[in-house]
């Protein structure tokens, strides 16, 4: 996790986003890990030297009071910069959004992502596109996620920053033709973001990715038939305990350490009554183990039975004379 | 059905599956968020020159499946798949449809619908495959496998014959309906950089759920229920087969009797110097019952086998935990 940064929240004008409450704007953006990976994969298509801008749409959900955004999916939208104007392929955006919407009816367009090192005029133009019109973030404020990974044309660790853009000044009225410079000006206010995993299985997969893909670009996903996953987890716990023991062996009298020790001793002392009744405990365990063994036994019988039946049938049919 | 004669089994050229990490994560997210509803979807990507399929996009179908494989042959599923593909092509991704994914609980994925869909797909695209996400360990472990129907199965499928001798001719048993393909997880350079930049975050209690005593209880019960119902279906099919075997037995003994009779008769006639009667005449008189299809039996057997393996795994885990905990608790107090 990136270190927790502090942000100052200001009351902003929300001219272009009438649906947003004026008092408290969004305070956090949660990026689901799959969506982040999609974004990283899309922006890494950016050609290094021509520096063509790659942008895309962010999809996800907002909390009821609009204080939280959750990014769940992202797709690329082609765009072309020519001088001070930019063309975004509205049609692609619309079709892909509608298709996603079919499978995820609760999600909506949250904003967009890009990968540039600075916020410039074009950023405002694209933001304007996402802040207005149907099938976009309107009437809610759009958010902008930037992945900065190019430093002097060299690839470095990607840095994520999220902004909310609010229009300032008098909005331009009337029909607009294309997204040309100076239609609306935007203030981009940084808001904190965090990367989350929405389900435990996904978290396990992410941990797996992190542990296995150090130094290699790919690895084999092994789905174990046996209990090797269990033993890997046990080893993880053992190493955690070792760490804790090492920690305890050189504690000082600081408050944090005292709290830790207190927590540990409280947990160890809180023992259910049953654990002191040894014969009863042994009886329960043996009953449990026997239950499990019986299930194993019967399951094995079924498995063998099926195989036997298949073999007998094959032999019987092969030996038939007529 | 009419086009079947022209179809022939082609050896697949892609023998492993490369899955982008984003696909892995979004697939797992979708299936586990929606569990116990079952979901399937299309996997898009391209074949590379080194004999593997790169999966770069996964799109779940809009509606959950009532049973495994339900969306593969449905019109709405196919339409959705086509629309996604067309939109992605506009983005200049050179992606094609490569296969499906399906969430399931253990061996329950072996349904006729899924097999039919996959077989049809493999006949048009020899490298088609299916990713099975086994939800039996949801929240504990990731169990993802890639399957393709075996050469023997496709052979029998093309012939459309499922009698014992056809299975024998195609060297097909319930254990080799599927070929498993290795799955490689591939990270884009940037993803790798990001992962490398992450601190080693402490794992929470939830991720260690597999270590809790009796944490498998619910899922084991569910697996056992699935096992019962598969065994029931198996028995239903087996009863039909047994009936056939008994009928066959009866007819065979009748034939033997008839032959015996004819033989004696011929002996008599030979003594009298008469012309012998045809000994093969029984073929016109008796009609042997024909063997019923072994297709369902094979599918049920396969499902039972997978279910049994999963139950055994859960039980092994449970016993390991139980013994470890018991020893710790009882030893600690006797000191």
């Amino acid at each position: 996790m990136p270190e927790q940064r502090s942000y100052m929240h200001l009351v902003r004008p929300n001219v272009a986003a009438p649906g947003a409450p004026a008092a408290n704007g969004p305070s956090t953006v949660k990026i689901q890990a799959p969506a982040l990976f999609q974004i990283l994969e899309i922006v890494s298509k950016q050609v290094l030297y021509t520096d063509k801008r790659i942008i895309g749409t962010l999809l996800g959900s907002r909390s009821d009071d609009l204080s939280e955004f959750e990014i769940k999916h992202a797709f690329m939208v082609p765009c072309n910069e020519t001088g001070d104007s930019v063309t975004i392929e509205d049609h692609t955006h619309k079709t892909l959004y509608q298709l996603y919407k079919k499978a995820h009816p609760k999600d909506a367009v949250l904003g967009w992502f890009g990968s540039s090192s600075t916020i410039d005029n074009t950023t405002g133009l694209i933001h304007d596109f996402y802040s207005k019109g149907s099938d976009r973030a309107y009437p809610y404020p759009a958010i902008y996620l930037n992945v900065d990974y190019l430093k002097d044309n060299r690839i470095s660790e990607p840095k994520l920053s999220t902004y909310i853009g609010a229009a300032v000044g008098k909005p331009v009225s009337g029909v607009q033709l294309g997204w040309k410079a100076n239609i609306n000006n935007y203030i981009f206010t940084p808001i904190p973001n965090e990367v989350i995993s929405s389900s435990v299985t996904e978290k396990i997969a992410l941990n797996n990715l992190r542990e296995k893909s150090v130094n290699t670009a790919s690895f084999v996903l092994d789905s174990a038939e046996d209990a090797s996953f269990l033993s890997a987890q046990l080893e993880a716990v053992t190493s955690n305990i070792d760490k804790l023991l090492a920690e305890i062996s050189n504690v000082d009298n600081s408050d944090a350490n005292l709290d830790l020790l207190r927590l540990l001793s409280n947990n160890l002392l809180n023992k259910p009554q049953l654990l002191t009744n040894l014969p009863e405990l042994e009886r329960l365990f043996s009953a449990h183990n026997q239950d499990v063994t019986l299930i194993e036994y019967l399951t094995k019988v079924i498995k063998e039975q099926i195989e036997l039946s298949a073999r007998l049938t094959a032999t019987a049919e092969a030996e038939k004379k007529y | 059905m009419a086009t079947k004669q022209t179809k022939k089994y082609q050896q697949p050229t892609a023998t492993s599956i490369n899955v982008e990490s984003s696909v892995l994560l979004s697939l797992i997210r979708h299936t586990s968020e929606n569990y116990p509803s079952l979901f399937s979807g299309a996997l898009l990507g391209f074949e590379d020159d080194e004999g593997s399929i790169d999966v770069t996009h996964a799109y779940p179908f809009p509606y959950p499946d009532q049973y495994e494989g339900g969306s593969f042959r449905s019109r709405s599923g196919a339409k959705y798949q086509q629309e996604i593909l067309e939109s992605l092509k506009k983005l200049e991704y050179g992606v094609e449809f490569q296969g499906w994914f399906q969430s399931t609980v253990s061996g329950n994925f072996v349904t006729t619908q899924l097999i039919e869909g996959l077989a049809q797909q493999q006949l048009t695209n020899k490298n088609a495959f299916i990713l099975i996400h086994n939800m039996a360990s949801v929240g504990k472990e990731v169990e993802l496998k890639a399957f393709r129907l075996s050469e023997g199965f496709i052979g029998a499928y093309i012939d459309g014959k499922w009698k014992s001798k056809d299975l024998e001719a195609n060297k097909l048993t319930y254990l080799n309906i599927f070929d498993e393909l290795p799955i490689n997880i591939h990270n884009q350079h940037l993803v790798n950089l990001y992962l490398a930049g992450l601190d080693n975050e402490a794992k929470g209690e939830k991720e260690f759920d597999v270590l809790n005593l009796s944490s498998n209880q619910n899922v084991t019960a569910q697996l056992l229920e699935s096992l019962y119902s598969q065994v029931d279906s198996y028995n239903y099919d087996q009863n039909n087969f047994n009936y056939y075997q008994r009928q066959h037995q009866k007819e065979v003994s009748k034939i033997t009797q008839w032959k015996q009779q004819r033989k004696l008769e011929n002996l008599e006639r030979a003594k009298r110097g008469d012309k012998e009667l045809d000994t093969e005449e029984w073929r016109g008189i008796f009609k042997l019952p024909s063997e019923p299809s072994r297709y369902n039996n094979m599918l049920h057997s396969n499902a039972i086998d997978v279910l049994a393996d999963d139950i055994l795994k859960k039980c092994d885990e449970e016993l390991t935990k139980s013994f470890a905990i018991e020893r710790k608790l009882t030893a600690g107090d006797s000191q």
Side-chain angles (χ1 to χ4, degrees), chain A residues 267-288:
Chain A
N267 272 329
L268 289 173
L269 288 174
N270 280 338
K271 207 159 151 187
Q273 194 60 38
L274 184 64
L275 290 188
T276 49
N277 186 352
L278 211 54
E280 175 67 5
L281 194 66
E282 273 173 357
R283 194 186 65 78
L284 287 176
F285 263 105
S286 115
H288 178 68

Side-chain angles (χ1 to χ4, degrees), chain B residues 148-175:
Chain B
R148 193 178 275 158
L149 292 170
S150 66
E151 180 175 357
F153 186 90
I154 295 286
Y157 181 84
I158 293 171
D159 297 340
K161 289 184 197 147
W162 301 100
K163 292 182 184 174
S164 291
K165 67 171 177 1
D166 306 312
L167 303 189
E168 181 65 32
N170 285 301
K171 296 215 180 338
L172 180 64
T173 70
Y174 73 96
L175 292 169

Side-chain angles (χ1 to χ4, degrees), chain B residues 143-210:
Chain B
E143 285 186 283
L144 205 61
K145 282 183 180 169
F147 288 117
R148 193 178 275 158
L149 292 170
S150 66
E151 180 175 357
F153 186 90
I154 295 286
Y157 181 84
I158 293 171
D159 297 340
K161 289 184 197 147
W162 301 100
K163 292 182 184 174
S164 291
K165 67 171 177 1
D166 306 312
L167 303 189
E168 181 65 32
N170 285 301
K171 296 215 180 338
L172 180 64
T173 70
Y174 73 96
L175 292 169
N176 64 5
I177 298 178
F178 294 104
D179 288 336
E180 196 182 335
L181 306 165
I183 305 176
N184 295 309
I185 304 299
H186 178 257
N187 285 337
Q188 284 258 348
H189 194 54
L190 212 53
V191 172
N192 238 6
L193 265 177
Y194 170 78
L195 284 174
L198 284 181
D199 296 333
N200 241 342
E201 196 189 336
K203 288 180 186 163
E205 204 176 321
K206 278 183 183 159
E207 286 132 272
F208 284 121
D209 190 37
V210 69

Side-chain angles (χ1 to χ4, degrees), chain B residues 314-330:
Chain B
K314 298 283 166 213
C315 287
D316 279 345
E317 286 178 0
E318 186 62 25
L319 280 180
T320 316
K321 287 183 280 185
S322 174
F323 277 113
I325 295 170
E326 184 190 5
R327 204 165 305 156
K328 201 79 201 164
L329 283 178
T330 47

Side-chain angles (χ1 to χ4, degrees), chain B residues 49-256:
Chain B
D49 303 332
E50 288 142 29
S52 51
I53 293 170
D54 294 358
V55 180
T56 55
H57 293 84
Y59 277 87
F61 291 132
Y63 307 106
D65 298 328
Q66 284 176 336
Y67 43 79
E68 286 82 349
S71 299
F72 296 170
R73 312 254 293 145
S74 78
R75 200 174 293 167
S76 67
K79 188 165 168 260
Y80 189 70
Q81 186 175 307
Q82 197 52 38
E83 281 172 352
I84 292 274
L85 196 58
E86 275 167 19
S87 322
L88 287 183
K89 274 191 179 158
K90 280 192 200 129
L91 295 179
E92 293 166 23
Y93 293 140
V95 291
E96 292 291 341
F97 170 75
Q98 300 296 344
W100 288 298
F101 69 86
Q102 173 74 58
S103 68
T104 184
V105 174
S106 191
N108 286 344
F109 72 92
V110 197
T111 61
T112 39
Q113 290 82 8
L114 182 138
I115 299 230
E116 177 77 15
L118 187 57
Q120 288 291 342
Q121 197 60 43
Q122 269 183 246
L123 287 178
T124 27
N125 170 14
K126 57 185 185 297
N127 285 328
F129 68 100
I130 186 163
L131 271 187
I132 299 288
H133 186 197
N134 182 358
M135 307 303 282
S137 304
V138 64
K140 298 189 183 67
E141 187 178 347
V142 179
E143 285 186 283
L144 205 61
K145 282 183 180 169
F147 288 117
R148 193 178 275 158
L149 292 170
S150 66
E151 180 175 357
F153 186 90
I154 295 286
Y157 181 84
I158 293 171
D159 297 340
K161 289 184 197 147
W162 301 100
K163 292 182 184 174
S164 291
K165 67 171 177 1
D166 306 312
L167 303 189
E168 181 65 32
N170 285 301
K171 296 215 180 338
L172 180 64
T173 70
Y174 73 96
L175 292 169
N176 64 5
I177 298 178
F178 294 104
D179 288 336
E180 196 182 335
L181 306 165
I183 305 176
N184 295 309
I185 304 299
H186 178 257
N187 285 337
Q188 284 258 348
H189 194 54
L190 212 53
V191 172
N192 238 6
L193 265 177
Y194 170 78
L195 284 174
L198 284 181
D199 296 333
N200 241 342
E201 196 189 336
K203 288 180 186 163
E205 204 176 321
K206 278 183 183 159
E207 286 132 272
F208 284 121
D209 190 37
V210 69
L211 298 179
N212 281 336
L213 190 67
S214 296
S215 62
N216 286 336
Q217 213 167 27
N218 288 336
V219 75
T220 313
Q222 202 191 342
L223 287 175
L224 285 172
E225 259 167 45
S226 301
L227 187 69
Y228 297 153
S229 74
Q230 289 283 359
V231 168
D232 280 347
S233 320
Y234 176 90
N235 275 341
Y236 178 79
D237 191 72
Q238 192 64 28
N239 276 341
N240 285 344
F241 191 76
N242 289 346
Y243 176 76
Y244 148 76
Q245 277 187 320
R246 278 196 303 275
Q247 286 306 105
H248 191 271
Q249 199 62 44
K250 261 187 217 161
E251 291 299 309
V252 167
S253 55
K254 274 189 207 158
I255 294 171
T256 344

Side-chain angles (χ1 to χ4, degrees), chain B residues 250-282:
Chain B
K250 261 187 217 161
E251 291 299 309
V252 167
S253 55
K254 274 189 207 158
I255 294 171
T256 344
Q257 223 167 17
W258 183 89
K259 278 189 161 176
Q260 202 73 27
Q261 195 111 29
R262 191 40 67 95
K263 215 170 163 188
L264 288 175
E265 221 172 302
N266 276 344
L267 277 175
E268 293 279 314
R269 290 174 79 101
K271 273 183 200 159
R272 288 204 309 264
D274 288 350
K275 201 172 144 229
E276 278 193 18
L277 288 171
D278 184 16
T279 50
E280 292 299 307
E281 211 182 320
W282 63 270

Side-chain angles (χ1 to χ4, degrees), chain B residues 278-335:
Chain B
D278 184 16
T279 50
E280 292 299 307
E281 211 182 320
W282 63 270
R283 289 184 196 279
I285 304 170
F286 298 100
K287 200 168 180 296
L288 281 167
S290 70
E291 190 190 347
S293 154
R294 303 293 290 153
Y295 183 72
N296 285 330
N297 174 287
M298 208 169 56
L299 298 197
H300 292 312
S301 301
N302 186 289
I304 291 172
D305 195 62
V306 179
L307 276 163
D309 281 345
D310 274 347
I311 294 172
L312 290 176
K313 181 180 165 188
K314 298 283 166 213
C315 287
D316 279 345
E317 286 178 0
E318 186 62 25
L319 280 180
T320 316
K321 287 183 280 185
S322 174
F323 277 113
I325 295 170
E326 184 190 5
R327 204 165 305 156
K328 201 79 201 164
L329 283 178
T330 47
D333 278 31
S334 61
Q335 276 169 7

